[in-house]
């Protein structure tokens, strides 16, 4: 469920009769600060701290809050909890839901802050701001904050494969560049550490002035090759796990197979597209473009009306992959309607602004792929892979 879907579940009218105990959790690695507002508190917020990860103490505090409220009013109130998305992930949210507690995870960047002076930042202030945002959200105030659609444990785990492969390939690039840099400092160029005969070629290399490679340098490069070869084996294992996961996903849903049918989309692009975005439900094209951070950001005031470019506020992995896919789409889908639109737009600009136009193409491509996966709408002019 996207952020927009969360808004659709919010109350449609602003309410003031919210009989509940509102609680915010300000989480850190050392302690959790619990800020609460009870119906009988007269607007005063109370604060308690428990040790980090002390779930039992947290639930005891909730029980105590309810006991005090019931002793003063004679009523039993539900507890509504809010926390920021951060390093702790979503396990606390799942624990609270398992206990029957209404819980929300909010995007911290979506909460408005005062711009009148230098901002004060403490856990106490942040906890009170979270409670205020939760109150406004439950009253039905529009655009007060953006609640996150928490993925299921299976959806969250499925994304690990493509993200791990990306981390491993980045590390592989660093080792390759390190080896090339060490050799270049001795006048050796043109070495490719990813070749299979890298060990043999290392023994044959000489410095630019005709000397054999120094012993300690050769030993250092050999250890770099050890780490590089380990990375290559791990990348193969991750790719095999990705392919097996994708094959299992195709049994449940035909969408992954549909992505692989398009020329220019391989297993890695299809895995990122599916696990990072297209498995979710979106109501319209604006929601999916905003989720990828490819929605335009307007700037309008009086007679000034211009576009600031894309927001870049969505999923960065999906967005960067779509930019790469857009360039590949031009190569492999040269006769598609999207490619023709790109060429016509660049031609109108005199061959300039290709990088800006490719972002617009990435947004159009994402929407087209979403329609193709969800509704079976074939992209106009797209070429399918041959069997």
């Amino acid at each position: 469920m996207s952020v927009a879907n969360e808004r659709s579940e919010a109350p449609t009218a602003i309410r003031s009769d919210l009989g509940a105990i509102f609680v915010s959790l300000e989480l850190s690695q050392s302690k959790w600060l619990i800020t609460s507002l009870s119906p009988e508190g007269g607007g005063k917020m109370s604060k308690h701290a428990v040790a980090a990860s002390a779930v039992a103490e947290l639930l005891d505090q909730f029980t105590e809050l309810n006991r005090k409220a019931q002793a003063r009013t004679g009523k039993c109130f539900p507890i509504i909890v809010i926390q920021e998305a951060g390093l702790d992930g979503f396990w606390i949210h799942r624990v609270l839901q398992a206990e029957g507690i209404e819980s929300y995870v909010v995007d911290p960047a979506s909460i408005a802050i005062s711009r009148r002076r230098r901002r004060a930042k403490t856990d106490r202030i942040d906890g009170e701001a979270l409670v205020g945002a939760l109150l406004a959200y439950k009253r039905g105030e529009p655009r007060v904050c953006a609640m996150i659609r928490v993925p299921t444990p299976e959806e969250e785990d499925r994304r690990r494969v493509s993200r791990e492969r990306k981390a491993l390939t980045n590390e592989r690039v660093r080792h390759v560049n390190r080896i090339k840099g060490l050799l270049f400092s001795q006048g050796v160029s043109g070495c490719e550490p990813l070749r299979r005969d890298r060990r043999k070629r290392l023994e044959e290399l000489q410095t630019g002035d005709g000397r054999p490679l120094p012993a300690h340098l050769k030993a250092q490069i050999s250890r770099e090759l050890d780490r590089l070869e380990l990375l290559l084996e791990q990348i193969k294992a991750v790719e095999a796990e990705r392919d097996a996961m994708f094959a299992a996903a195709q049994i449940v849903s035909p969408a992954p197979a549909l992505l692989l049918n398009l020329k220019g989309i391989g297993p890695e692009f299809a895995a990122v597209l599916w696990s990072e975005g297209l498995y979710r439900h979106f109501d319209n094209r604006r929601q999916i473009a905003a989720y990828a951070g490819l929605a335009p950001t307007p700037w309008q005031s009086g007679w000034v009306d211009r576009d600031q470019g894309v927001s870049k506020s969505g999923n960065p992995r999906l967005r960067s992959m779509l930019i790469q896919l857009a360039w590949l789409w031009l190569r492999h889908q040269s006769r598609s309607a999207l490619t023709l639109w790109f060429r016509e737009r660049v031609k109108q600009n005199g061959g300039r602004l290709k990088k800006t136009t490719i972002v617009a193409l990435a947004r159009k491509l994402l929407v087209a792929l979403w329609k193709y996966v969800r509704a079976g709408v074939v992209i106009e002019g797209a070429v399918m892979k041959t069997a």
Side-chain angles (χ1 to χ4, degrees):
M1 187 182 300
S2 63
V3 169
N5 292 337
E6 290 285 356
R7 291 198 190 102
S8 65
E9 293 181 0
T12 56
I14 296 178
R15 299 167 53 196
S16 58
D17 56 338
L18 297 173
I21 301 175
F22 295 90
V23 179
S24 71
L25 300 180
E26 189 64 25
L27 309 175
S28 68
Q29 296 183 357
S30 59
K31 66 177 182 178
W32 292 351
L33 180 64
I34 306 169
T35 305
S36 61
L37 179 64
S38 299
E40 84 293 346
K44 184 179 180 181
M45 300 185 188
S46 61
K47 299 172 182 63
H48 302 85
V50 299
S53 301
V55 176
E57 295 183 29
L58 176 67
L59 297 177
D60 290 341
Q61 286 291 339
F62 290 169
T63 303
E64 182 66 15
L65 288 173
N66 218 329
R67 186 193 63 80
K68 290 181 179 179
Q70 189 172 8
R72 294 177 181 177
T73 63
K75 299 179 181 179
C76 184
F77 296 99
I79 294 178
I80 305 176
V81 182
I82 188 174
Q83 60 177 295
E84 293 180 347
L87 185 64
D88 292 275
F90 304 115
W91 71 273
I92 304 171
H93 168 79
R94 296 187 180 112
V95 168
L96 296 177
Q97 284 195 326
E99 295 291 331
I101 298 173
E102 186 177 352
S103 176
Y104 294 95
V105 182
V106 66
D107 178 7
S110 67
I111 300 177
I113 59 174
S114 175
R115 298 179 297 169
R116 296 183 61 187
R117 51 179 171 76
R118 180 177 294 176
R119 182 191 174 198
K121 170 70 172 69
T122 65
D123 289 344
R124 179 184 61 83
I125 295 175
D126 291 346
E128 293 178 354
L130 282 176
V131 172
L134 179 60
L135 279 167
Y137 178 79
K138 294 301 291 183
R139 285 196 300 265
E141 297 183 16
R143 299 180 182 272
V144 64
C145 61
M147 297 298 181
I148 291 176
R149 183 255 190 208
V150 177
T152 64
E154 292 75 18
E155 293 171 347
E156 187 177 13
D157 190 59
R158 189 169 53 198
R159 298 183 299 195
R160 303 292 179 190
V161 178
S162 59
R163 295 184 180 185
E164 182 184 4
R165 185 186 181 278
K166 180 63 175 177
L168 290 175
T169 53
N170 289 341
E171 192 174 350
R172 181 185 64 186
V173 171
R174 289 195 295 269
H175 284 295
V176 169
N177 291 342
R178 178 62 175 163
I179 293 172
K180 288 184 175 181
L182 291 171
L183 291 174
F184 192 81
S185 67
Q186 299 296 319
V188 181
S189 59
C191 177
E192 294 297 334
L194 293 178
R195 292 181 54 158
R196 294 185 178 182
D197 59 345
R198 48 187 168 267
R199 297 281 185 177
K200 180 180 178 181
R201 291 175 63 86
L202 178 63
E203 298 296 331
E204 300 172 351
L205 291 176
Q206 291 184 341
T207 62
D209 53 354
R211 295 177 294 105
L213 289 180
H216 293 302
L217 175 63
K218 185 183 291 186
Q220 181 182 1
I221 294 176
S222 179
R223 288 187 288 269
E224 287 284 346
L225 289 176
D226 291 339
R227 290 189 283 269
L228 178 60
E229 289 168 352
L230 175 61
L231 280 172
L232 294 176
E233 291 297 324
Q234 291 179 342
I235 290 174
K236 288 182 181 179
V238 169
E239 289 177 346
E241 185 178 347
R242 174 204 63 196
D243 295 341
M245 180 191 68
F246 222 57
Q250 292 176 24
I251 300 175
V252 180
S253 172
L258 292 175
L259 292 172
L260 288 174
N261 289 338
L262 288 169
K263 186 179 179 181
I265 298 182
E268 184 60 24
F269 279 152
V272 176
L273 278 170
W274 177 250
S275 62
E276 294 289 351
L278 294 183
Y279 76 94
R280 298 166 59 110
H281 172 77
F282 298 97
D283 289 336
N284 50 57
R285 58 185 177 85
R286 294 181 182 85
Q287 285 187 11
I288 190 170
Y291 176 75
L294 293 172
T297 306
W299 179 273
Q300 193 276 331
S301 179
W303 59 270
V304 179
D305 190 359
R306 60 184 178 86
D307 188 5
Q308 301 180 93
V310 297
S311 64
K312 296 185 180 181
S313 61
N315 189 318
R317 298 174 184 85
L318 182 61
R319 182 171 60 254
S320 61
M321 188 276 305
L322 281 167
I323 300 298
Q324 300 175 42
L325 181 58
W327 288 113
L328 291 174
W329 187 268
L330 298 177
R331 179 191 304 175
H332 296 286
Q333 300 283 356
S334 57
R335 297 183 179 180
S336 68
L338 293 176
T339 302
L340 297 177
W341 172 87
F342 175 86
R343 291 175 178 172
E344 181 64 25
R345 181 60 62 91
V346 172
K347 184 178 179 181
Q348 292 177 2
N349 295 329
R352 299 177 295 106
L353 303 177
K354 285 187 177 181
K355 291 184 178 180
T356 303
T357 312
I358 202 68
V359 177
L361 176 62
R363 181 171 62 247
K364 288 178 172 291
L365 181 58
L366 175 60
V367 174
L369 290 173
W370 169 66
K371 292 180 179 179
Y372 172 63
V373 168
R374 289 299 179 187
V377 179
V378 180
I379 303 174
E380 184 179 353
V383 179
M384 300 295 177
K385 294 178 183 176
T386 58

